[in-house]
């Protein structure tokens, strides 16, 4: 059985859920920097629609969704966390 999360992914699709606050923009910058430094291709979007946030059951931002998996919410993630997610899911 094929599991898309176990196969090699050429591009990671990342959503930052939030209202555009400083924590949201710094989370996006952190993820972009780490991905670029590691040569990982990402497609990152900032999503501020409350309905989309509720679809993921997120009530506190920023939240990070990678390949439709909710990875983190409520604070700016630490760099080691982002590195771990990118290495596991790429």
């Amino acid at each position: 059985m094929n599991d898309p999360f176990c196969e090699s992914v050429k591009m990671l699709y990342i959503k930052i859920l939030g209202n555009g606050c400083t924590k949201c923009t710094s989370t996006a910058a952190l993820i972009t920097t780490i991905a670029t430094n590691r040569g990982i291709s990402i497609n990152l979007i900032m999503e501020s629609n409350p309905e989309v946030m509720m679809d993921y059951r997120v009530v506190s931002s920023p939240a990070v969704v990678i390949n439709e998996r909710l990875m983190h919410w409520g604070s700016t993630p630490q760099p080691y966390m982002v590195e771990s997610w990118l290495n596991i899911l790429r």
Side-chain angles (χ1 to χ4, degrees), residues 76-88:
T76 303
Q78 296 296 314
Y80 76 89
M81 298 166 77
V82 174
E83 289 175 8
S84 173
W85 303 331
L86 297 181
N87 285 331
I88 290 170

Side-chain angles (χ1 to χ4, degrees):
M1 196 161 137
N2 291 336
D3 183 353
F5 298 112
C6 293
E7 295 178 9
S8 179
V9 177
K10 292 182 169 82
M11 169 87 63
L12 293 178
Y13 295 90
I14 301 173
K15 296 178 191 174
I16 306 300
L17 308 178
N19 60 6
C21 67
T22 302
K23 289 181 183 178
C24 297
T25 55
S26 64
T27 296
L30 174 66
I31 291 171
T32 300
T33 299
I34 291 172
T36 299
N37 290 344
R38 295 200 171 261
I40 299 170
S41 297
I42 64 169
N43 180 354
L44 187 141
I45 62 168
M46 302 284 288
E47 180 61 68
S48 60
N49 183 335
E51 291 177 11
V52 173
M53 293 176 66
M54 292 308 295
D55 287 344
Y56 290 98
R57 301 180 194 268
V58 169
V59 294
S60 59
S61 64
V64 178
V65 176
I66 303 177
N67 291 350
E68 295 304 318
R69 276 187 159 175
L70 179 62
M71 304 302 288
H72 183 82
W73 66 93
S75 65
T76 303
Q78 296 296 314
Y80 76 89
M81 298 166 77
V82 174
E83 289 175 8
S84 173
W85 303 331
L86 297 181
N87 285 331
I88 290 170
L89 296 174
R90 73 175 174 154

